[in-house]
């Protein structure tokens, strides 16, 4: 394994954005314990991963964060989550640059207020269904989820971290039982 694959993929800190964190990655993660919940990719990690199969999204547009914030502040949309991928059969309606979906994914953007109200992702799922569960939770709380049409690359899966089929099956069974889907 190359050295860049053993260390955390995050920047060291906001004060040091040009330095990569030197901590060892946690098992089944790209980040160390410190950067699990609050991470910003170190730019060389993105470049290194660009030619490898990874499970990452790279947005190929400028000002996309501002676009997400501006959309989120449109109160008439009643937004729960914004994402860059919609899932099969989850589309509700097309609104031009955005589509309303039940289940969005890829990159999920939501406010601190929604996090406080709805809570964190469920830890009962392993390798699959945690995003779908969170999207359905937002809908249950009366919010709408939207796919934002942005140019992006999605690197589907990692050869290093395989998703055990049994864990995926168990997660899907839990989701079906909980949501009756």
């Amino acid at each position: 394994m190359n050295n860049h694959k053993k260390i955390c993929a995050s920047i060291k800190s906001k004060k040091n954005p040009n330095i990569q964190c030197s901590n060892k990655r946690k098992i089944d993660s790209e980040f160390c314990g410190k950067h699990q919940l609050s991470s910003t990719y170190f730019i060389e990690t993105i470049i290194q991963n660009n030619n490898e199969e990874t499970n990452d999204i790279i947005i190929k547009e400028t000002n996309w964060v501002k676009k997400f914030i501006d959309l989120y502040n449109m109160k008439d949309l009643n937004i729960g989550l914004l994402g860059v991928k919609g899932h099969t059969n989850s589309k509700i309606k097309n609104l031009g640059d955005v589509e309303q979906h039940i289940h969005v994914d890829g990159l999920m953007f939501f406010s601190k207020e929604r996090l406080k109200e709805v809570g964190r992702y469920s830890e009962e799922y392993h390798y699959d269904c945690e995003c779908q569960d969170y999207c359905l939770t937002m809908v249950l709380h009366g919010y709408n989820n939207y796919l934002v049409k942005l140019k992006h690359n999605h690197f589907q899966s990692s050869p290093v971290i395989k998703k055990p089929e049994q864990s995926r099956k168990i997660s899907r069974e839990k989701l079906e039982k909980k949501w009756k889907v």
Side-chain angles (χ1 to χ4, degrees):
M1 185 180 257
N2 294 340
N3 189 40
H4 78 272
K5 290 186 176 187
K6 292 180 182 177
I7 62 172
C8 180
S10 181
I11 61 173
K12 184 170 181 130
S13 67
K14 289 180 182 177
K15 292 179 184 176
N16 298 308
N18 296 320
I19 300 173
Q20 185 171 4
C21 175
S22 60
N23 294 335
K24 187 176 176 184
R25 291 180 176 192
K26 292 184 85 58
I27 295 173
D28 291 341
S29 176
E30 291 188 76
F31 304 104
C32 66
K34 177 183 174 185
H35 292 113
Q36 284 295 318
L37 297 176
S38 177
S39 57
T40 302
Y41 272 103
F42 180 63
I43 190 67
E44 288 182 23
T45 303
I46 294 172
I47 292 166
Q48 290 164 349
N49 287 341
N50 203 22
N51 294 322
E52 300 174 14
E53 284 189 69
T54 62
N55 196 14
D56 292 321
I57 298 284
I58 296 176
I59 306 299
K60 299 175 77 174
E61 295 187 26
T62 58
N63 298 324
W64 64 270
V65 174
K66 182 181 180 334
K67 183 175 186 175
F68 271 47
I69 292 169
D70 290 346
L71 275 168
Y72 212 93
N73 288 328
M74 295 176 70
K75 300 298 181 202
D76 59 321
L77 293 178
N78 194 32
I79 296 173
L81 291 164
L82 294 174
V84 294
K85 288 184 60 194
H87 280 264
T88 309
N89 300 323
S90 79
K91 183 176 171 181
I92 297 171
K93 62 183 165 185
N94 187 343
L95 302 169
D97 288 342
V98 298
E99 294 176 353
Q100 185 179 353
H101 279 256
I102 294 170
H103 181 193
V104 294
D105 203 348
L107 177 147
M108 298 175 77
F109 183 94
F110 51 95
S111 69
K112 288 180 183 178
E113 290 77 21
R114 298 292 184 273
L115 179 63
K116 287 177 186 173
E117 179 184 347
V118 174
R120 295 177 179 235
Y121 283 79
S122 172
E123 294 183 22
E124 70 182 287
Y125 302 101
H126 300 281
Y127 297 112
D128 201 11
C129 300
E130 60 279 349
C131 294
Q132 188 173 1
D133 177 71
Y134 205 66
C135 288
L136 290 167
T137 301
M138 285 288 186
V139 171
L140 181 70
H141 279 81
Y143 297 109
N144 301 316
N145 302 319
Y146 294 91
L147 172 146
V148 182
K149 297 176 185 175
L150 294 176
K151 293 177 190 166
H152 67 278
N153 286 345
H154 180 214
F155 302 95
Q156 294 290 333
S157 62
S158 172
V160 177
I161 302 170
K162 302 274 187 215
K163 296 178 179 178
E165 203 54 43
Q166 186 63 25
S167 291
R168 293 180 88 173
K169 183 179 179 203
I170 291 168
S171 288
R172 289 181 184 197
E173 288 171 355
K174 287 179 181 178
L175 184 83
E176 289 171 6
K177 184 178 180 182
K178 179 177 179 179
W179 293 102
K180 313 249 187 299
V181 293

